[in-house]
Structure formats: structure tokens, C-alpha cells
Amino acid sequence: YVTCCTSFGIFIFKLLKINSLNFEGSDLKAAVVATQFLIGQSLFSSFFLLCATLFRLTPQIILTTFILGFISGAIWIKDSFTNLGIHINVTGTRKFILTLSVTTLSITVLQSTSRISYDSTAIYFSDAKLTAINQSASYFTDDTFVISVLQSTTQFTALMQLFGDQPARMLSWFCGFVICILSLSLGKKMGLSQNALILLLALLATSTAFLDLMGDGKVDLISGAYAISA
């Protein structure tokens, strides 16, 4: 799903001629690829929501959308991921703190196998699960679902239908990863020092308000990624 969204986002960039900007060898290139993923993701989720609301959202429609999305920008994917990275000089204590931060963030992917939080069970993930079963969006009895996040949870629905519950929960983890990339890129753009960038990542890696959402069936990180990208 991530690859298909990114590929489609690259295609949109080419279509709108945004690719005229040269990000080769720049720390901003990672942020550009992350933004391309978010653009593809937003268009996919809008289409899925349209299908679930007006028609039916079936595995066949979802799989076809994924394939077309991947094909649309496949020829540019290799170039987009060339020389991709945020360059930070790490030595001594810097390397130790950075290693701990990256390790902590990587381990959080295992949270997608744990019990989901209360509000995920009561609201976000349960509604996505019911929508996946019904193959259409509707109001359920005694539902406390917030309509403003329906577009985000429709992605959970699509991933559930093709891959199951656990892979669907990994979407929030990846969006948290995207937030880290965008935050570091923004820091580089604003002229933060090497120490400040490492501490910025450490702050994210030690914040329970951030870590607890990674791998959970909630939409906070999905929505937050768009805000930081903007």
C-alpha cells in the first residue's frame, strides 16, 4: 500500500510538473518522497470513501486501485529513492542517542500485534472493521464514531479487506515514521544544529503521546503527517 501510494504521488508530481524542482542530493528530498506518499494516500482514501459511500468497496476494487496506482509512477520510483536520506554527522554520544532513538522507533512496529487501545476498539478500528465486513459505509447502532476521521479510517477498511487487521494497523506506524522524516527535514530547513536534530528525534522516540499511537488502530498520526507536511 505504501509503495502504491508513493508511486501514485510521484505520478501526480510529474503530472503537475512539480518535478521541475531539483531535490537531488538535498536533505529535503526525503520530505518530498514522504509528501508524495501522503498525496497518493489522500487520493486513495478519498476514492475508497467515495466507493464505500455511494457504491460498494470490494477487494476487487481495492486491488485494482493499488495496481493502477503502482503502475502510474513505477518508472520514476527508482530515481525518486536514489540518494534518499537526511544527512546527520554522528560520533560518540550523538551516535549512541541516535541509535537508541532509531531502535525504539523500530521496535514500536511490534505494537501492531498487541491489544489495541480503548478508543480504537470503541470507535476508529471497530467502525473500519464493520465497514470492511459490510463493504459500505453506514451508521451503526449506538455508534460514537467521529465523522471527521472517516476518510482516514477508510484506509483501514481497504487494508483489512486485502491483508487483515494487523497489517492495517501498521499504517499508523508508517505515518509516524513519515512524521519523523518530515520533522527532521523541517529542522534541517530551519537551520537546526546536528545536536538539535538528534535531540528532536530523541524527543519523538521518548514521548508516550507519540509512541503509544504507533501501530495502534487510530488516526492521529495519519492526520498529523499531513499537518507537518503542509
Side-chain angles (χ1 to χ4, degrees), residues 119-133:
D119 45 349
S120 296
T121 305
I123 308 174
Y124 307 108
F125 213 68
S126 60
D127 276 76
K129 182 70 172 180
L130 290 171
T131 303
I133 295 173

Side-chain angles (χ1 to χ4, degrees), residues 94-107 202 205:
R94 287 180 182 176
K95 186 175 182 179
F96 178 70
I97 295 176
L98 182 62
T99 300
L100 283 179
S101 300
V102 172
T103 302
T104 301
L105 291 170
S106 300
I107 290 175

Side-chain angles (χ1 to χ4, degrees), residues 8-62:
F8 191 55
I10 293 172
F11 170 74
I12 297 300
F13 263 51
K14 298 294 182 180
L15 185 65
L16 299 178
K17 301 187 184 302
I18 302 178
N19 59 301
S20 59
L21 300 176
N22 184 13
F23 295 99
E24 293 294 335
S26 170
D27 290 308
L28 291 179
K29 188 176 180 182
V32 171
V33 174
T35 302
Q36 289 170 338
F37 159 72
L38 293 175
I39 290 175
Q41 183 191 51
S42 64
L43 294 175
F44 274 16
S45 62
S46 297
F47 176 71
F48 294 151
L49 179 59
L50 180 66
C51 290
T53 305
L54 300 181
F55 310 104
R56 296 186 69 82
L57 184 60
T58 65
Q60 292 80 7
I61 292 176
I62 297 168

Side-chain angles (χ1 to χ4, degrees), residues 130-200:
L130 290 171
T131 303
I133 295 173
N134 294 333
Q135 296 185 351
S136 63
S138 59
Y139 181 81
F140 305 108
T141 305
D142 298 325
D143 194 7
T144 57
F145 186 62
V146 182
I147 193 66
S148 60
V149 297
L150 183 58
Q151 183 174 356
S152 298
T153 56
T154 306
Q155 297 176 77
F156 288 145
T157 298
L159 293 173
M160 284 178 190
Q161 289 191 343
L162 288 187
F163 308 112
D165 294 4
Q166 184 177 333
R169 291 173 59 184
M170 291 179 68
L171 175 62
S172 61
W173 179 88
F174 188 80
C175 286
F177 176 69
V178 167
I179 288 177
C180 292
I181 293 176
L182 293 172
S183 298
L184 291 175
S185 298
L186 184 60
K188 291 280 286 187
K189 180 68 175 177
M190 297 300 294
L192 293 184
S193 65
Q194 299 291 316
N195 289 338
L197 289 173
I198 292 174
L199 288 176
L200 173 59

